[in-house]
Amino acid sequence: MEQEHLIFFYGSDCPHCRKIEGHLERLEKDEKIKVTRLEVWENHENEEKMVALDKMGCGGVPYLINMKSKKAICGEATYSEVKLWAQG
């Protein structure tokens, strides 16, 4: 099930982003929740989108935003935190 309201902004080769990616893979497998992934270090358009949506002043990656609940995660998080974020 595609849920375009869940967005994960990440950087290629970002070690913190890789930890979040592991949580997202588990979330997709266990909860059938899909998260849109947008790479920002090499994609200027995605970077501009992240900057426009970054209301909490994260200023970097990993950055996750739930467009429905307006909840965001800046930086590393546990699986439980990511699951709560995705569920709104």
Side-chain angles (χ1 to χ4, degrees):
M1 155 170 55
E2 186 69 24
Q3 296 174 324
E4 296 179 10
H5 68 278
L6 301 174
I7 305 172
F8 171 46
F9 292 99
Y10 71 96
S12 58
D13 300 325
C14 165
H16 308 288
C17 299
R18 280 195 288 272
K19 288 183 181 180
I20 295 290
E21 178 62 38
H23 298 327
L24 296 179
E25 288 174 3
R26 179 178 167 195
L27 188 70
E28 290 177 333
K29 181 181 175 219
D30 295 350
E31 305 295 326
K32 309 296 186 244
I33 294 173
K34 179 74 177 137
V35 178
T36 301
R37 293 155 172 82
L38 299 176
E39 199 287 327
V40 300
W41 287 357
E42 298 180 27
N43 186 311
H44 187 65
E45 192 173 297
N46 288 344
E47 180 185 19
E48 288 179 351
K49 186 172 187 173
M50 181 184 77
V51 169
L53 293 173
D54 183 9
K55 303 299 183 210
M56 66 186 290
C58 184
V61 293
Y63 181 66
L64 300 101
I65 186 163
N66 182 324
M67 298 300 291
K68 283 188 177 176
S69 69
K70 302 301 183 202
K71 292 184 180 179
I73 295 175
C74 179
E76 284 190 37
T78 65
Y79 175 74
S80 296
E81 291 168 329
V82 171
K83 184 177 174 181
L84 285 172
W85 161 82
Q87 294 172 335

